[in-house]
Amino acid sequence: MAVETQHFTGTDQYIATDSLKLAVKAARALQKPLLVKGEPGTGKTLLAEQVADSLGLKLITWHIKSTTKAQQGLYEYDAVSRLRDSQLGDDRVYDIKNYIKPGKLWEAFTSEERCVLLIDEIDKADIEFPNDLLHELDKMSFFVYETGETITADQRPIVIITSNNEKELPDAFLRRCFFHYIEFPDEATMREIIHVHFPRISATLVSEALQIFFKLREIPNLKKPPSTSELIDWLSLLMADDMPEDILRNHDHKKAIPPLYGALIKNEQDVQLLERLAFMTRR
């Protein structure tokens, strides 16, 4: 097993906790995929981008949808195009490789240099999707039936898999991964994240915004508590030139609904909940 000489320590654009840095290091040492879970907006996808950037590696991203099949990550055989070309008398039909479209795993396995492979939101696919990739991710190879060749990774990619916990992943798949749950940032870490995005932001504005933000997240029965990315959007609005500088300072903290709440609250049930809380407070 090769010894890794470079380690991920975070970047200027990404604040990584010590436990996350250790998880990346452990997954690489074990040569296993790093399975990352956490609330939406906690930087799971961005982690792969920053690992690639900090280590100077190419990033290959496979975005998973509900209709995605594991085979698409390996390759796809376009039999329809071959049939059409045969009817037209095209000489391309005599070489089946002309109709093989490499997928993201093929691209990662055959990369001339080591790369980072991101399998993003794996839980969106069918429940059998992870199991269908067990061998390929474990052995870093797969067989192409149409051509009779085996594609094997010369440079084992760093594999990072994200999940939003929309559905449970199979035990056999979990056994082959190193798991890390990204905890929601505490106030100190959140201040660091804000500073990365807004180096010149007012300390007073940050304090006022975080007070409202974390108070909002503590409200029971909120369907979707605001995430880090939504806080960044909200701060961008609060700092806009056409917004009053004292918009938060003049906000009545007894009211449950904050100014410009549309950046933080994303569904009508939560808006109605906040309105009821505001009404009860006024009473």
Side-chain angles (χ1 to χ4, degrees), residues 259-277:
L260 303 169
Y261 69 86
L264 297 172
I265 305 301
K266 299 300 182 179
N267 61 73
E268 63 277 12
Q269 295 97 319
D270 287 345
V271 172
Q272 291 167 3
L273 173 61
L274 294 179
E275 287 174 342
R276 287 198 299 272
L277 290 173

Side-chain angles (χ1 to χ4, degrees), residues 237-251:
L237 283 176
L238 294 174
M239 295 173 64
D241 291 338
D242 55 349
M243 294 294 174
E245 291 185 6
D246 57 354
I247 188 171
L248 290 188
R249 201 168 300 120
N250 291 337
H251 169 63

Side-chain angles (χ1 to χ4, degrees), residues 34 41 69 72 79-81 133 138 145 159 161 181 184 186 204 214 220 230 233 236-238 240 249 257 271 279-280:
L34 173 61
K69 302 299 181 185
Q72 294 172 307
V80 174
S81 292
L133 290 176
D138 196 24
Y145 293 94
V159 181
I161 303 171
Y181 184 85
F184 194 83
D186 58 19
T204 302
F214 280 107
E230 286 148 356
D233 288 344
S236 296
L237 283 176
L238 294 174
R249 201 168 300 120
I257 301 180
V271 172
F279 177 75
M280 291 171 64

